[in-house]
Amino acid sequence: MIDFLFDYATLRVIWWVLLGVLLVGFAVTDGFDMGVGALLPFAARTDIERRVAINTIGPVWEGNQVWFILGGGAIFAAWPALYALSFSGFYLAMFLILMALILRPVAIKYRSKKPDPKWRTRWDWALFIGSAVPALIFGIAVGNALRGVPFHFTPDLRPIYEGSLFGLLNPAALYCGLVSLAMMVMHGGAWLTFKAEGPVAERARTYGARAALATSALFAG
């Protein structure tokens, strides 16, 4: 029935819009989660302050990651070949992202299991890594998508990626990664300024303003 309502070109645009909404939703919602984690060692300097910062994302961080899953599902449903190429060619990059995304909830859950300051400090840095690394790699992935990646089709139209992980770390893609990281830190700073109080909010405002200037400069560049 839908074939009679829309032609292929129209359906393609509709799917691109839907995919864009999902990816933008992920950047907006999970972006402040990653920003808070990336700011944690700097905006919150005591155990209580770090607990305050983590509590601001505590009720929402799990739901925010659903946007990423939906985005991957949308790619698979609309463009299976693109899904196969991206998830096989970017396999190591995706593996690093997934490991970091797994490390983040583990750090949130486990840091309070023991009162030992060293124990909590280790998990706080794990939360920092689990937040900053995805923000950086997502930007690198977008940079490579804009720049183009080497692949070819086999006679049976199977896409084969010809690059490597280190090939993805080219200057243009790394630059886009810095834009993404600065943008997420800005987002996290704004979130903490709005949700937290006292020294945490004040420091977050300072770091968020600096990240905003960095984002503007990098994006303009």
Side-chain angles (χ1 to χ4, degrees), residues 39 185-186 189-190 193 202-216:
L39 278 175
V185 171
M186 175 189 67
T193 302
E202 294 175 3
R203 297 191 198 104
R205 183 183 295 108
T206 300
Y207 286 112
R210 294 174 182 174
L213 293 175
T215 302
S216 300

Side-chain angles (χ1 to χ4, degrees), residues 20-210:
V21 169
L22 292 174
L23 294 181
V24 169
F26 172 71
V28 171
T29 57
D30 205 49
F32 64 77
D33 291 346
M34 290 186 282
V36 169
L39 278 175
L40 189 66
F42 311 102
R45 298 175 182 175
T46 66
D47 181 65
I48 294 177
E49 290 179 352
R50 291 176 180 176
R51 186 71 261 174
V52 168
I54 294 173
N55 285 344
T56 64
I57 62 174
V60 295
W61 67 265
E62 289 179 295
N64 291 342
Q65 296 189 108
V66 175
W67 291 91
F68 181 58
I69 300 172
L70 290 175
I75 296 175
F76 176 75
W79 300 284
L82 173 62
Y83 180 90
L85 176 65
S86 58
F87 279 76
S88 60
F90 294 175
Y91 178 80
L92 290 177
M94 291 292 183
F95 181 79
L96 291 175
I97 289 175
L98 291 176
M99 288 297 294
L101 291 178
I102 293 172
L103 183 61
R104 184 174 57 179
V106 172
I108 293 174
K109 297 292 185 180
Y110 273 77
R111 78 172 302 276
S112 298
K113 296 298 182 181
K114 291 173 63 176
D116 183 11
K118 293 183 179 180
W119 167 273
R120 295 190 174 185
T121 299
R122 293 191 192 101
W123 285 116
D124 289 338
W125 281 106
L127 178 57
F128 167 78
I129 294 172
S131 301
V133 168
L136 180 66
I137 296 181
F138 279 130
I140 292 174
V142 171
N144 278 286
L146 294 174
R147 182 174 179 268
V149 294
F151 74 97
H152 71 275
F153 285 100
T154 62
D156 57 351
L157 298 181
R158 290 176 54 227
I160 303 296
Y161 178 69
E162 299 175 341
S164 63
L165 175 62
F166 293 104
L168 300 175
L169 303 178
N170 54 80
L174 288 172
Y175 191 91
C176 290
L178 292 178
V179 175
S180 173
L181 180 59
M183 183 172 59
M184 297 303 178
V185 171
M186 175 189 67
H187 198 8
W191 176 264
L192 283 177
T193 302
F194 179 68
K195 289 291 186 177
E197 297 178 352
V200 176
E202 294 175 3
R203 297 191 198 104
R205 183 183 295 108
T206 300
Y207 286 112
R210 294 174 182 174

